[in-house]
Amino acid sequence: MIIHLTQRPLMLHLVPEQDTTPPPAARQRHRAVAGGAIDPKQLLASLPDAVRKLHPRVMVRNPVMFVVEVGSVLTTLSAVLDPSVFTWLISGWLWLTVIFANLAEAVAEGRGKAQAETLRRTRSTIVARRLQTWRVGMDRRDWEERQVPAAELRPHDVVVVEAGGTVPGDGEVVEGVAAVDESAITGESAPVIRESGGDRSGVTGGTKVLSDRIVVRITSRPGHTFLDRMIALVEGTSRQKTPNELALNILLASLTVIFILAVVSLQPMADWAGAPQTITVLVALLVTLIPTTIGALLSAIGIAGMDRLVQRNVLALSGRAVEAAGDVNTLLLDKTGTITLGNREAAAFVPVQGVPHDLLADAAQLSSLADETPEGRSVVVLAKRYGIRERDEGELAHAYFVPFSAQTRMSGVDFAWGDEICRIRKGAGNAVVQWVAARGGSVPTDARWIVDSIAAGGGTPLLVAVEDRDGARVLGAIHLKDIVKPGIAERFAALRSMGIKTVMVTGDNPLTAKAIAAEAGVDEFIAEATPEQKLARIREEQAGGNLVAMTGDGTNDAPALAQADVGVAMNTGTSAAKEAGNMVDLDSSPTKLIDIVEVGKQLLITRGALTTFSICNDVAKYFAIVPAMFSGVTGYEGLEKLNVMGLHSSTSAIASAIIFNALVIVALIPLALRGVRYVPSTAHALLRRNLRVYGLGGLVAPFAGIKAIDLLLQLVPGM
Ligand SMILES: Nc1ncnc2c1ncn2[C@@H]1O[C@H](COP(=O)(O)OP(=O)(O)OP(=O)(O)O)[C@@H](O)[C@H]1O
Ligand SMILES: [K+]
Ligand SMILES: [Mg+2]
């Protein structure tokens, strides 16, 4: 057992902690990329990618646009065999239709590329100082240091990082405490504290250590670091279709098949009527009928949704979670580190009657010597102020340390001298009371009063007890202080107005929980919750038909984060929490769910609105193409009535419909990327509004658009 009494340097306490509002630097970054408008340069830059995506292997993933591509090939062939202005015009615009669809996706992906490039540069330059061998001397243990490229680090490797150095990989701080600049990852310029033990032990590769020295045990495999995942995410390479997206794709593919059958069976009819149609016209008819608008924009909408989350400093590792976020109705949060700053420190020793201060301080310190949690270290620091001296290793040779666990809620030490044994424990009030009672000891009446008064003020009381030849007894309490993150109550109120219930689940005692719950303004709280109970509460909510989000930072939150529909891990948290959740909030803001829900809703609404628009605007094109196909055919004069737009000629009518069909995709790229604005309202009102705007708009727009294009095409000779 190494006893390493790291004293927290005082300057660290002056470093500002994360606030719930993003700092100016991060906000600026958001603004820089968040603007919905795309500039033409972006379109141009994405053009090569759009052309590359024409490869059938890529296209086949999008059935609707794949059909258009096959149509483009067919019409090009017939244009070669039977050249005319009309056939070349149609085949040219069909290719453009496919390219525009690819362009939408390429532009959506391109937005993350620059960010990915910066992240790559960070990653490639890191050299790790790996601790290789563990030489065990007489009474000394030592590591040998070797420099290796960060990309070679494996899980369980141990590295050292000193002030000025870059953390070479994701891992846990196993020794020391440091101020870390995480701006490369979070865009946040204020440094944060990373320390061994508690819930702030996780460090991320690519961040910079500003002060002191930490020893880090690597937890990520090469190529699977947080930075790697972030790069894949902003580039969209790891993106998988969500269940909703798949369902919509199947619907679009089915519609496409139906229209292919309809168009194919049209030919014998037309033959019989004495008006056989060319391949070019049949393909043109098919392309206008199938839902090309949504087929072209669907993937871009999904990528843009993930991108909007990145802009709000949330890394969503699953698109399904983003969609689920749109419908969340319960949010569970843990207390320490999520609702509070998580900087729980010993503020005072409060002995029971008859016990001197320094006896309590000494016992508290002894029980904390090997307690690597921030709470434990802060007890050691406080004890020094009571004049308690440090123990050296020789004095502690017979000590057996009992580490803290969320199950026992206690930590401590056992000493043995010959046949005499002395045990010291500190921990949650009822855990220690039970421990004393089990040893036949008594709990003085003022112990309960001390514990309750600390808790009622929102502090966390830890009782300290000993067992020696005089029996087991409580000595007093340690007052741990933590602070509720600023501005949190208003944001919980905002969640309430969105119809989301907030529940705080904490391992802390009911009185402390009640005080913090009242201050933070959560709707409900559960105290003395074990990891299993956190998990059970989520299952219960889910069984009741609720979609549950969980926000947490600790290893004890990991099971709950994994079970929740939306599991948001704080970036300040442990790597276990970050692995378990499906989103990581780089700002570590407990109310980030507000943004996540907005983005989720916006994603669903945008997809719905553009699907409506797509299907409605195909109907109108029908009025342009069908009369054109049968114009001048005896027996079908009635169809001429459908030519309500009074289009110039049948060729120009068909070409206008195809050109309009292609242009509508380009016109809607900005909307697909920006997303339809989300105004909080009922699902019913939203649906009505969307049908009005996008349904009616979809019906009317083609009439005006096709007519305008037709007027221009009249001027082209040969049309
Ligand atoms: N180092 C420690 N030694 C002894 N007891 C501790 C120590 N740290 C915490 N405790 C006690 O154990 C209880 C449970 O701690 P745990 O970390 O499981 O939950 P928590 O962090 O308080 O709550 P949350 O789940 O909201 O983060 C604490 O409320 C405290 O009373
Ligand atoms: K179409
Ligand atoms: Mg916790």
Side-chain angles (χ1 to χ4, degrees):
M1 178 63 62
I2 313 170
I3 297 165
H4 195 99
L5 302 179
T6 357
Q7 187 171 0
R8 298 161 67 92
L10 269 178
M11 64 135 300
L12 291 186
H13 299 276
L14 303 175
V15 170
E17 271 292 343
Q18 287 95 349
D19 187 333
T20 43
T21 49
R27 246 175 315 191
Q28 221 137 44
R29 180 174 92 179
H30 297 174
R31 216 173 298 125
V33 280
I38 43 169
D39 75 86
K41 258 189 276 163
Q42 234 177 330
L43 284 178
L44 221 57
S46 306
L47 207 54
D49 266 340
V51 174
R52 227 168 290 145
K53 284 172 187 282
L54 285 175
H55 196 295
R57 207 180 38 225
V58 182
M59 289 302 304
V60 80
R61 272 182 280 162
N62 182 341
V64 178
M65 294 321 291
F66 183 66
V67 167
V68 181
E69 186 175 42
V70 172
S72 314
V73 173
L74 290 178
T75 50
T76 308
L77 284 178
S78 70
V80 170
L81 297 176
D82 178 19
S84 73
V85 174
F86 174 68
T87 50
W88 278 115
L89 198 67
I90 296 293
S91 80
W93 275 94
L94 286 184
W95 282 114
L96 282 178
T97 309
V98 186
I99 289 177
F100 289 160
N102 291 351
L103 197 60
E105 193 180 74
V107 170
E109 287 169 353
R111 301 182 134 202
K113 287 242 162 76
Q115 208 177 346
E117 214 26 69
T118 325
L119 293 172
R120 274 222 176 78
R121 237 172 293 133
T122 313
R123 185 182 58 178
S124 61
T125 52
I126 309 172
V127 176
R129 293 165 58 187
R130 186 165 65 187
L131 300 180
Q132 305 275 80
T133 27
W134 201 9
R135 274 202 318 261
V136 184
M138 285 297 286
D139 53 355
R140 254 170 41 100
R141 292 149 190 215
D142 232 347
W143 297 93
E144 206 173 74
E145 202 180 295
R146 189 168 298 173
Q147 304 227 336
V148 295
E152 277 177 28
L153 292 177
R154 299 271 181 292
H156 304 298
D157 279 354
V158 176
V159 297
V160 62
V161 195
E162 273 175 332
T166 304
V167 179
D170 307 343
E172 301 275 348
V173 180
V174 288
E175 196 186 295
V177 48
V180 179
D181 172 8
E182 299 197 328
S183 58
I185 301 284
T186 62
E188 156 121 27
S189 51
V192 291
I193 305 300
R194 291 289 174 263
E195 60 191 345
S196 61
D199 290 347
R200 300 192 300 178
S201 58
V203 284
T204 312
T207 58
K208 271 207 164 52
V209 171
L210 297 178
S211 73
D212 303 87
R213 170 186 188 274
I214 46 175
V215 179
V216 175
R217 192 182 48 238
I218 298 296
T219 51
S220 58
R221 283 176 293 139
H224 290 82
T225 63
F226 194 64
L227 211 55
D228 291 318
R229 284 197 291 172
M230 209 165 148
I231 291 169
L233 187 78
V234 294
E235 275 190 333
T237 45
S238 63
R239 215 181 83 86
Q240 277 173 344
K241 287 204 175 88
T242 65
N244 277 336
E245 233 177 326
L246 279 177
L248 187 52
N249 243 313
I250 291 171
L251 174 75
L252 297 181
S254 323
L255 277 176
T256 306
V257 171
I258 292 172
F259 284 123
I260 290 176
L261 293 178
V263 169
V264 168
S265 58
L266 192 85
Q267 184 68 329
M269 267 166 59
D271 252 344
W272 181 77
Q277 302 293 325
T278 62
I279 279 284
T280 310
V281 169
L282 289 177
V283 168
L285 176 65
L286 176 63
V287 169
T288 50
L289 289 180
I290 63 178
T292 45
T293 316
I294 184 64
L297 298 173
L298 187 56
S299 148
I301 294 170
I303 297 171
M306 299 292 252
D307 190 50
R308 269 197 297 281
L309 273 183
V310 172
Q311 285 159 25
R312 295 179 194 210
N313 257 358
V314 176
L315 298 186
L317 307 171
S318 116
R320 178 203 286 257
V322 181
E323 283 175 357
D327 295 320
V328 155
N329 30 31
T330 310
L331 169 63
L332 272 71
L333 310 101
D334 83 323
K335 172 177 74 73
T336 313
T338 302
I339 292 180
T340 66
L341 289 179
N343 199 11
R344 221 161 32 178
E345 292 197 341
F349 296 121
V350 191
V352 296
Q353 211 162 24
V355 173
H357 262 93
D358 50 355
L359 180 67
L360 173 61
D362 196 22
Q365 192 225 34
L366 281 171
S367 71
S368 304
L369 284 179
D371 184 356
E372 270 293 313
T373 65
E375 289 87 348
R377 273 198 304 269
S378 75
V379 170
V380 175
V381 171
L382 183 66
K384 273 209 188 98
R385 277 198 249 146
Y386 279 79
I388 306 298
R389 66 181 180 87
E390 277 179 53
R391 305 304 209 278
D392 58 43
E393 288 182 40
E395 278 177 275
L396 296 166
H398 303 285
Y400 169 74
F401 291 104
V402 183
F404 169 72
S405 89
Q407 305 290 335
T408 61
R409 291 177 213 196
M410 287 193 299
S411 55
V413 63
D414 293 348
F415 292 103
W417 296 280
D419 52 1
E420 196 173 325
I421 290 179
C422 170
R423 301 176 203 275
I424 309 175
R425 290 292 181 276
K426 69 165 195 294
N430 51 6
V432 172
V433 166
Q434 265 169 31
W435 183 83
V436 170
R439 279 158 183 76
S442 65
V443 180
T445 46
D446 57 337
R448 172 127 303 262
W449 182 82
I450 292 169
V451 163
D452 286 355
S453 65
I454 292 174
T460 298
L462 294 185
L463 274 184
V464 182
V466 292
E467 183 193 23
D468 54 18
R469 67 180 155 213
D470 300 331
R473 61 202 181 276
V474 170
L475 298 180
I478 306 169
H479 182 168
L480 297 178
K481 266 200 179 142
D482 203 352
I483 303 170
V484 171
K485 290 182 182 172
I488 215 171
E490 297 79 37
R491 307 218 68 198
F492 280 141
L495 277 169
R496 201 167 302 121
S497 70
M498 292 166 98
I500 297 170
K501 179 176 72 177
T502 50
V503 184
M504 181 179 94
V505 236
T506 174
D508 224 328
N509 71 82
L511 273 178
T512 308
K514 189 175 167 199
I516 299 287
E519 193 181 340
V522 293
D523 296 324
E524 284 174 32
F525 69 89
I526 304 169
E528 289 174 346
T530 59
E532 292 77 21
Q533 280 163 338
K534 292 188 183 190
L535 181 64
R537 174 64 195 235
I538 291 187
R539 292 223 169 105
E540 206 176 288
E541 291 276 345
Q542 285 171 334
N546 287 332
L547 271 175
V548 183
M550 163 86 194
T551 305
D553 69 332
T555 303
N556 61 351
D557 300 319
L561 283 169
Q563 174 69 29
D565 302 287
V566 183
V568 190
M570 310 270 98
N571 189 48
T572 51
T574 59
S575 47
K578 288 202 255 181
E579 289 288 322
N582 44 28
M583 294 189 197
V584 177
D585 174 23
L586 297 176
D587 294 329
S588 302
S589 154
T591 53
K592 191 47 86 64
L593 196 75
I594 295 176
D595 299 76
I596 298 173
V597 166
E598 269 177 17
V599 170
K601 284 202 194 295
Q602 209 183 16
L603 179 69
L604 297 176
I605 295 169
T606 306
R607 207 183 275 154
L610 291 183
T611 305
T612 313
F613 184 90
S614 181
I615 290 173
C616 290
N617 95 72
D618 287 342
V619 172
K621 287 172 217 155
Y622 196 74
F623 286 86
I625 290 209
V626 173
M629 286 171 73
F630 294 94
S631 80
V633 181
T634 29
Y636 288 82
E637 290 84 2
L639 281 176
E640 193 53 41
K641 289 205 193 86
L642 284 178
N643 184 8
V644 287
M645 289 174 261
L647 300 176
H648 172 65
S649 66
S650 50
T651 47
S652 107
I654 294 170
S656 302
I658 284 294
I659 294 173
F660 177 81
N661 192 56
L663 290 180
V664 115
I665 295 173
V666 185
L668 288 176
I669 291 179
L671 184 64
L673 296 186
R674 181 174 10 102
V676 173
R677 202 163 61 90
Y678 161 64
V679 260
S681 61
T682 65
H684 191 69
L686 271 176
L687 185 70
R688 242 193 353 238
R689 179 175 173 274
N690 277 336
L691 279 180
R692 202 172 59 233
V693 176
Y694 295 94
L696 217 59
L699 276 177
V700 175
F703 285 98
I706 291 175
K707 180 71 190 171
I709 297 169
D710 180 70
L711 287 174
L712 286 176
L713 278 185
Q714 286 177 26
L715 308 175
V716 177
M719 290 302 293

